[in-house]
Amino acid sequence: MRPIGVFDSGVGGLTVVRALMERLPLESIIYFGDTARVPYGVKSVATIEHFTAQITEFLLQRDVKMLVIACNTMAAVAAEVVHRLAADIPVLDVIEAGARAAVADSAGRRVGVIGTPTTINSNAYARRMHELDPSVQVYSQACPLFVPLVEEGWLEHRVTRLTAQEYLRPVLAEEVDSLVLGCTHYPLLKPLLRDVAGPRVRMIDSALTIAELAARHLQEAGLARTTGGAAEYRFVVSDVPLRFQTIGERFLGRSLGAVEKVDW
């Protein structure tokens, strides 16, 4: 029973795991969160590439049948490293999935992107969307306070709402018709963001779009599991902070069970 390998710099990628569990309930998943070395956003490209290669090799040794880069920072600066090491194993990433969905679903060709400063500064979403459709206009906004607010559990807090109003104001002023949630923490804020943005703006959740993409790829490659016993889920981290279990279960929407720790 070959699993899907999903990895992230920390806990945020569990929103992707959650979407995969719901869309592909028969598929086993192994998740790796590099909790000892998070955050990646302040590190150099060379360091991120090195860490990403290390994690990729770890998952390839577990005989995964697909790799999912659930970290926007890794996807922005180190996706090529993963593709090179994976060889013929399919590799999906949240930026590709989000960019494709935004281009497909934006009737007015005006797309907002929110993410961490590193992801926004990389311009990866805008670049990929323009490759797919040069007519799309992209308006990006870094939202550095969202990650700590989500990890604090302040999903409906007045402070979070005021912060969202400030961050989204310049993007909404451009009359965007789609908003890409360019960080794996942000799906937990989706109800609040939808409320702030209004009903006219479509939310593009990379966790959901990558789950759809994974389902299609597995089917087309003949790798989809259609019968057999229950799926197995493994959660592996490089460190187990005291709050990891609590935060992780909030992201996953269910119990994590046993969390394994590896030492590099």
Side-chain angles (χ1 to χ4, degrees):
M1 192 193 302
R2 296 174 67 196
I4 298 170
V6 184
F7 61 99
D8 181 41
S9 58
V11 71
L14 289 172
T15 56
V16 173
V17 173
R18 181 177 185 168
L20 287 167
M21 285 176 164
E22 292 170 357
R23 180 64 181 84
L24 298 164
L26 294 177
E27 298 292 348
S28 293
I29 298 170
I30 177 170
Y31 176 79
F32 187 96
D34 196 5
T35 46
R37 302 185 294 201
V38 71
Y40 275 28
V42 296
K43 295 175 172 62
S44 69
V45 170
T47 298
I48 295 168
E49 287 179 339
H50 173 65
F51 291 171
T52 302
Q54 219 173 5
I55 296 165
T56 302
E57 287 167 347
F58 173 86
L59 290 171
L60 291 173
Q61 288 164 10
R62 271 78 194 159
D63 194 30
V64 294
K65 62 181 176 182
M66 170 182 279
L67 284 167
V68 177
I69 309 172
C71 172
N72 282 269
T73 302
M74 288 174 169
V77 303
E80 284 306 310
V81 173
V82 182
H83 281 277
R84 188 175 69 247
L85 291 171
D88 59 345
I89 292 174
V91 177
L92 307 181
D93 72 73
V94 282
I95 290 177
E96 179 69 17
R100 283 185 176 278
V103 168
D105 296 339
S106 179
R109 325 314 287 154
R110 300 175 75 83
V111 180
V113 179
I114 56 174
T116 64
T118 303
T119 298
I120 297 303
N121 291 339
S122 75
N123 212 32
Y125 274 102
R127 195 166 57 247
R128 184 61 184 129
M129 279 187 252
H130 287 143
E131 288 170 359
L132 293 166
D133 183 349
S135 72
V136 171
Q137 296 181 64
V138 183
Y139 305 93
S140 302
Q141 175 67 45
C143 305
L145 293 177
F146 277 170
V147 167
L149 287 168
V150 168
E151 293 195 355
E152 194 62 38
W154 290 11
L155 306 183
E156 294 286 348
H157 198 284
R158 183 171 58 90
V159 169
T160 310
R161 182 172 296 274
L162 289 169
T163 303
Q165 289 168 348
E166 285 298 316
Y167 282 152
L168 294 188
R169 185 174 288 117
V171 177
L172 296 175
E174 299 294 346
E175 299 186 338
V176 298
D177 53 17
S178 298
L179 184 68
V180 177
L181 309 184
C183 172
T184 50
H185 281 63
Y186 296 1
L188 277 76
L189 293 174
K190 196 156 51 171
L192 184 147
L193 294 172
R194 189 179 281 125
D195 194 35
V196 171
R200 195 181 61 81
V201 180
R202 177 182 170 85
M203 297 285 153
I204 306 294
D205 181 344
S206 294
L208 297 179
T209 58
I210 207 163
E212 285 300 325
L213 205 56
R216 191 161 68 247
H217 272 260
L218 290 173
Q219 197 67 44
E220 290 171 356
L223 294 171
R225 187 164 177 257
T226 55
T227 58
E232 296 175 1
Y233 306 121
R234 287 178 63 192
F235 301 97
V236 185
V237 294
S238 50
D239 187 28
V240 188
L242 292 174
R243 296 173 68 220
F244 178 79
Q245 200 87 17
T246 304
I247 297 170
E249 290 178 0
R250 189 184 304 141
F251 276 59
L252 197 63
R254 66 181 80 185
S255 172
L256 283 171
V259 176
E260 303 169 44
K261 178 179 176 292
V262 297
D263 296 308
W264 293 119

